[in-house]
Amino acid sequence: MKIKKAVIPAAGLGTRVLPASKAMPKEMLPIVDKPAIQYIVEEAARSGIEDILIILSRGKSLVEDHFDRSPDLERHLEKGGKEEMLQMVKEISGLANITYIRQQEMKGLGHAVLCAESFVGGEPFAVLYGDDVIIGEDPAIGQLARAYETYGLGCAGIKEVSPEAILKYSSMKVSPLDGNCYKITDMIEKPSPDKIMSLFSILGRCVLPAEIFDILRETPPGAGGELQLTDAMKTLARTKGMIGVDYTGTRYDMGNKLGILQASIEVGLKHPEVGEGLKEYLKALVKTL
Ligand code: UTP
């Protein structure tokens, strides 16, 4: 079954990137010249997703403005003969059919996904975490959607992380299947060192069957008193099994300060307009460090 719907939870308070996220949604923080969430919507659109639900909260309507038409700006660019810029601006509002809903209380990622139930309407759907940007030739969520079509089981994007990092993330019990796919039969959120199952962790993407909503409703609040999506996926993995897809592409965590800097530098170095200039600047700078 083709995956046509995606949910982007972007309602979180973003406390790790304060004060930047005080009035500005962290999902709108730019990587060079594009807000993080635009990379994510583009990834979904390139993967064949047609309908996107973005979960927002109070003070985040800037996200809606960004994906809306901008008649004043468009007129101004048209008058000035700035054809290329005009096309670029128009394309943003035509990327996908985007709707929005507000999560009224930020009770966790699992709770945010639960808000998408009526939008999803019984079909399997993609989840792209609003602060995880993944850059690569083959869009990451498309790789997961293909795995879903092949195996018919919920899929999670997984990557190996360092033994230090796994303590802050989730750890998967995996056995290898084909290529970059693994069977996941169990998982644990923020494991203590003796509970680590593997260094594979879920990072930023999943494709889930609609039965996840019933599971979420039965799942008690977990870490930080929040309803954790990982806790619901654990139930899915233990009962039906899930597929882990070690996707290709580089993931940038826009929810923490170092991640934002790494994204700016790496994407900046490849940027056609500023790449060369940034390289020269960095070469000179590292000599002084
Ligand atoms: P995070 O846990 O990284 O977001 O959730 P957060 O709560 O904003 O982060 P900190 O810890 O305060 O810095 C991953 C994604 O899920 C969304 C966030 O917006 C982010 O894109 N999210 C999180 C929601 O939509 N609702 C929530 O209740 C929590």
Side-chain angles (χ1 to χ4, degrees):
M1 181 171 194
K2 288 246 179 280
I3 307 299
K4 295 282 175 208
K5 289 186 178 178
V7 176
I8 305 180
L13 294 170
T15 53
R16 283 168 299 150
V17 289
L18 279 169
S21 54
K22 185 170 177 289
M24 157 95 119
K26 66 174 167 180
E27 295 80 6
M28 285 297 290
L29 291 171
I31 304 178
V32 189
D33 51 6
K34 221 190 264 184
I37 197 160
Q38 188 181 329
Y39 289 91
I40 297 172
V41 168
E42 286 176 353
E43 177 194 328
R46 283 169 59 214
S47 307
I49 303 275
E50 291 165 0
D51 296 308
I52 297 177
L53 177 73
I54 302 184
I55 318 250
L56 296 175
S57 51
R58 267 176 297 280
K60 291 210 170 186
S61 38
L62 212 57
V63 174
E64 294 181 56
D65 294 340
H66 184 71
F67 292 105
D68 198 358
R69 292 293 293 268
S70 316
D72 291 345
L73 176 62
E74 288 173 25
R75 253 194 312 278
H76 174 79
L77 294 173
E78 202 166 4
K79 260 199 216 148
K82 304 212 164 103
E83 198 48 43
E84 230 173 90
M85 255 188 231
L86 177 65
Q87 282 319 315
M88 184 258 285
V89 165
K90 280 185 172 171
E91 270 167 26
I92 297 171
S93 50
L95 279 170
N97 177 24
I98 306 179
T99 49
Y100 304 89
I101 194 169
R102 273 194 183 187
Q103 186 186 11
Q104 296 189 335
E105 283 176 275
M106 275 56 83
K107 293 191 200 159
L109 183 57
H111 179 259
V113 169
L114 204 43
C115 297
E117 187 171 16
S118 58
F119 164 81
V120 165
E123 291 174 33
F125 63 104
V127 182
L128 298 92
Y129 301 12
D131 55 358
D132 274 320
V133 171
I134 301 171
I135 310 246
E137 276 290 306
D138 187 9
I141 200 68
Q143 299 175 45
L144 267 70
R146 291 200 296 273
Y148 191 94
E149 281 172 40
T150 306
Y151 296 101
L153 290 174
C155 297
I158 57 170
K159 285 260 175 215
E160 277 188 297
V161 303
S162 68
E164 298 77 47
I166 198 81
L167 307 174
K168 290 184 277 166
Y169 293 127
S170 54
S171 170
M172 306 288 115
K173 186 173 178 189
V174 292
S175 50
L177 290 169
D178 241 12
N180 61 347
C181 291
Y182 295 77
K183 181 88 184 256
I184 305 175
T185 48
D186 203 358
M187 61 182 81
I188 179 169
E189 180 74 20
K190 298 190 177 52
S192 52
D194 58 316
K195 297 266 163 60
I196 294 171
M197 297 173 170
S198 77
L199 292 180
F200 277 114
S201 189
I202 298 183
L203 292 183
R205 301 289 181 265
C206 41
V207 172
L208 297 168
E211 66 185 279
I212 198 75
F213 296 116
D214 284 336
I215 299 175
L216 277 167
R217 261 188 291 275
E218 299 289 313
T219 305
E226 296 188 339
L227 179 49
Q228 300 288 347
L229 183 61
T230 317
D231 289 341
M233 286 198 267
K234 175 167 73 183
T235 304
L236 194 61
R238 283 180 174 175
T239 51
K240 296 246 164 117
M242 284 185 72
I243 303 298
V245 182
D246 184 4
Y247 56 78
T248 57
T250 310
R251 172 233 180 209
Y252 299 104
D253 181 0
M254 296 296 286
N256 83 66
K257 292 167 193 172
L258 186 61
I260 295 169
L261 291 170
Q262 287 165 337
S264 295
I265 293 170
E266 292 188 22
V267 176
L269 282 170
K270 293 195 186 120
H271 193 281
E273 206 177 307
V274 298
E276 271 311 304
L278 180 62
K279 194 155 119 193
E280 290 314 310
Y281 166 73
L282 286 177
K283 275 186 183 162
L285 184 70
V286 287
K287 287 187 194 138
T288 69
L289 301 177

